[in-house]
Amino acid sequence: LSVTSQASPGSPEVANSGPKPADFLQVAGQYSSTSAGERALLLAAGAAYREADYAQSEKLFEQFKRENAGSELAPIAALGVAVSVDAQDRTEEAVAAYEAVIARHSRHPVAGHARLSLATLFEDTGKPADALRIYDAMSDGDDFSQQTMEVANRRERLLRKHPELAPDPATSTTTEVTNVVTLPETSIPVVAGGEETAEEDAAPDSSADANAG
């Protein structure tokens, strides 16, 4: 997933460090039918993204998807397309691309990254309720990973910024009320519908009285 790192895309220290996209593309061309060539193409796309050449990174990620659809790296390329489109401020296309990643690769780690990126996009475009919906969905379960902690922090910041979205305790808490009937003869509380059993227990044993007589 490092190929789509957004630590500081386009900053001079990032753009001027490491191999250039052209370097990776040369390797990809020389070894196009090998796993090394496949990986080099993906790295070329990531390098273009880090240089803030988002149109080029989108093109290369798309090329990887097209030429290596069955690759185990294809989900990363799909996420790369989404973040590249997002970086070009093509909001509707980015939303669709993130949702496609989540739907098609739901069991892959890229799905979590896509959800977080989509939530960020919703926050940036004035849709905090949609972002909260994603954070709430990602908070379900007993996973205590670093991503879960990040989700919790983001959700907390979002609610501080938009307190009107905080759940109402009166409506979010469900209280179960048991319908209890107390029989005067025995003062035994029983759940409604079970009176017959209680009455039978409370009734005198007529057969025993007859035998006794």
Side-chain angles (χ1 to χ4, degrees), residues 132-143 148 151-152 155:
L132 180 61
R133 172 177 50 82
I134 294 176
Y135 294 146
D136 285 343
M138 296 183 73
S139 298
D140 291 341
D142 299 324
D143 181 19
T148 302
V151 169
R155 185 180 185 278

Side-chain angles (χ1 to χ4, degrees), residues 9 26 39 44 46 53 60 82 85 92 99 102 143 158 160 166 209:
Q26 183 176 0
R39 186 174 296 272
D53 190 349
L60 293 175
V85 171
E92 292 185 6
E99 290 178 341
I102 295 167
D143 181 19
L158 178 63
R160 283 202 303 265
D209 292 344

Side-chain angles (χ1 to χ4, degrees), residues 183 185-186 188-190 194-206:
L183 300 180
E185 297 84 354
T186 62
I188 300 175
V190 294
E195 293 88 349
E196 296 83 1
T197 301
E199 290 173 354
E200 291 174 3
D201 291 342
D205 190 340
S206 58

Side-chain angles (χ1 to χ4, degrees), residues 33-118:
S33 59
T34 68
S35 59
E38 175 184 306
R39 186 174 296 272
L41 178 57
L42 193 64
L43 291 172
Y49 181 88
R50 288 190 295 275
E51 290 188 350
D53 190 349
Y54 303 125
Q56 177 71 350
S57 67
E58 179 189 358
K59 176 182 176 181
L60 293 175
F61 281 127
E62 285 283 13
Q63 179 182 343
F64 185 97
K65 286 177 56 183
R66 185 172 59 253
E67 297 178 358
N68 304 280
S71 170
E72 62 181 9
L73 300 176
I76 298 177
L79 178 61
V81 171
V83 297
S84 297
V85 171
D86 190 358
Q88 297 175 72
D89 296 326
R90 287 152 50 194
T91 302
E92 292 185 6
E93 293 177 63
V95 169
Y98 285 131
E99 290 178 341
V101 172
I102 295 167
R104 296 173 187 171
H105 308 290
S106 60
R107 297 184 180 275
H108 193 281
V110 298
H113 289 270
R115 289 187 178 96
L116 284 176
S117 296
L118 181 56

Side-chain angles (χ1 to χ4, degrees), residues 5-16 46-54:
S5 171
Q6 298 188 49
S8 53
S11 63
E13 56 272 21
V14 171
N16 295 326
Y49 181 88
R50 288 190 295 275
E51 290 188 350
D53 190 349
Y54 303 125

